[in-house]
Amino acid sequence: MARRRGRRVRPAAGGSGAVIVETIVTTVAADGTPNFAPMGVEWGDEAIVLKPFLDTTTYRNIAASRAAVVNLTDDVRIFARAAISNPQYESGPATLVRGVVLADCCSWRELEVQAIDTTPPRSRIAMAVVHRGTRREFIGFNRAQHAVLEAAIYATRLHLLPRSFIDSELARLQVIVDKTAGPRELEAMALLAAHVRATPVPAAPEHA
Amino acid sequence: MARRRGRRVRPAAGGSGAVIVETIVTTVAADGTPNFAPMGVEWGDEAIVLKPFLDTTTYRNIAASRAAVVNLTDDVRIFARAAISNPQYESGPATLVRGVVLADCCSWRELEVQAIDTTPPRSRIAMAVVHRGTRREFIGFNRAQHAVLEAAIYATRLHLLPRSFIDSELARLQVIVDKTAGPRELEAMALLAAHVRATPVPAAPEHA
């Protein structure tokens, strides 16, 4: 996750117009090992575009299997953990594609490759939605959940941003969490804050 | 909406633990006129707590009708418009309570009053979920949607916060919108930015 955010290049307002939805993308290696990657994807009802970097497990798995699953979940702990580690989660087989569905998702889309553009550093993979399912309702807008998502992005940029800036941003986001969080969001934010505190400040931080 | 945010008082992390969900609360006056109010509510499966200020239409309508509908929607234009005006939206009758359901909602809860605490300035209305329905899927996390929600909150605090601070916050949020928005989010953000630009700076702004 660390690199994909800092180098995202998208047109300014009025550009492609595709809404980017933050999801957990699951893919499967040749030996069956599932991979869970938080990823912002270009959302559509019938087609979804993924842009994994070429050196990621997600890219390699999709290039080989020609399939992926995009999971929507309102449990931000999954995004927080994935920002600072390489977690595994409970999952079950997808219905139509070679892939797995996150057990705790709200809903999911099963995708098949339509076209892959491998121009470095990121691929652009256009995928068709071939199946979808729902497990539970995604419960609307919670400010704390989004504060955690923004904090998770900062947690992947510790090598790119001045620590004083990250500290002040985390303090700002913590106010929103304290006002609007439930237990899941408090746990996720605490995890990220502890990770930032435990990470040494780089000797010569670059500015992103 | 202008006052409810600035005076929200909630316990710090580890407090009540109730997740606050940003919703559109619909209520109906004695003459049948519907009212649409954006409101953060304490969310629960079986019970939901609303805290409207005592001088609001929402409070008066619930006190009289003993009912409300909480609507979840991923269309942030509704929140943006409600932050800067008193809009009306298409709606239809609720199933079990005296109230209306937002036509464009993703899902809704119909609520009946269990208890009202009228200690000023805000009421605390504990309500039971007596019916629920779903219209369409709420499509996960979009950073632009939450940037618009945060911008909408600032738009209701123009009289409380230094304009230079609001301008810098809107610029920060616009970056997220430009990266991740679809047409709905671009429209909502443009609406809020235009409102802020058109609103004169108060002579002696207070600091919230």
Side-chain angles (χ1 to χ4, degrees), chain B residues 129-158:
Chain B
V129 177
V130 296
H131 187 72
R132 67 192 75 201
T134 301
R135 293 243 159 93
R136 60 185 171 86
E137 189 178 354
F138 190 107
I139 302 294
F141 290 126
N142 170 247
R143 296 175 65 206
Q145 288 174 359
H146 273 260
V148 169
L149 291 185
E150 298 296 328
I153 292 170
Y154 287 124
T156 66
R157 293 183 180 171
L158 298 180

Side-chain angles (χ1 to χ4, degrees), chain A residues 5 8 10-15 17-23 43 45 72-76 79 106-109 132-134 137-147 149-150 153-154 157 169 172 174 176-183 185-186, chain B residues 5 8 10-15 17-23 43 45 72-76 79 106-109 132-134 137-147 149-150 153-154 157 169 172 174 176-183 185-186:
Chain A
R5 301 276 190 182
R8 171 180 285 168
R10 276 178 49 80
V19 67
I20 306 293
V21 178
E22 304 299 320
T23 71
W43 192 265
D45 278 345
L72 300 181
T73 176
D74 55 8
D75 187 344
V76 290
F79 291 90
C106 294
S107 69
W108 76 94
R109 304 292 190 272
R132 67 193 76 202
T134 301
E137 189 177 354
F138 190 108
I139 301 294
F141 290 126
N142 170 246
R143 294 175 66 205
Q145 288 174 357
H146 273 260
L149 291 186
E150 298 296 328
I153 292 170
Y154 287 125
R157 293 183 181 171
E169 282 294 282
R172 179 180 66 75
Q174 187 70 53
I176 296 173
V177 170
D178 290 347
K179 280 182 181 168
T180 64
E185 293 77 28
L186 291 172
Chain B
R5 301 275 187 180
R8 169 181 287 167
R10 277 180 46 81
V19 66
I20 306 293
V21 178
E22 303 300 320
T23 71
W43 192 265
D45 278 345
L72 299 182
T73 176
D74 56 7
D75 188 344
V76 290
F79 291 90
C106 294
S107 69
W108 76 94
R109 305 292 190 272
R132 67 192 75 201
T134 301
E137 189 178 354
F138 190 107
I139 302 294
F141 290 126
N142 170 247
R143 296 175 65 206
Q145 288 174 359
H146 273 260
L149 291 185
E150 298 296 328
I153 292 170
Y154 287 124
R157 293 183 180 171
E169 282 292 282
R172 180 180 65 75
Q174 187 71 53
I176 297 173
V177 170
D178 290 346
K179 279 183 182 167
T180 65
E185 293 77 27
L186 291 172

Side-chain angles (χ1 to χ4, degrees), chain A residues 113-126:
Chain A
V113 169
Q114 290 177 313
I116 300 186
D117 175 350
T118 59
T119 311
R122 290 174 74 168
S123 63
R124 176 186 169 87
I125 310 178

Side-chain angles (χ1 to χ4, degrees), chain A residues 23-28 41 43-50 62 65-72 91-102 105 107-114 126-135, chain B residues 137:
Chain A
T23 71
I24 305 294
V25 173
T26 45
T27 54
V28 172
V41 306
W43 192 265
D45 278 345
E46 306 302 328
I48 289 176
V49 176
L50 275 56
I62 295 177
S65 70
R66 313 293 290 178
V69 174
V70 164
N71 303 272
L72 300 181
S91 63
T95 304
L96 285 191
V97 305
R98 176 171 163 73
V100 296
V101 176
L102 187 67
C105 73
S107 69
W108 76 94
R109 304 292 190 272
E110 301 185 12
L111 309 177
E112 280 179 359
V113 169
Q114 290 177 313
M127 305 191 78
V129 177
V130 296
H131 187 72
R132 67 193 76 202
T134 301
R135 293 245 158 91
Chain B
E137 189 178 354

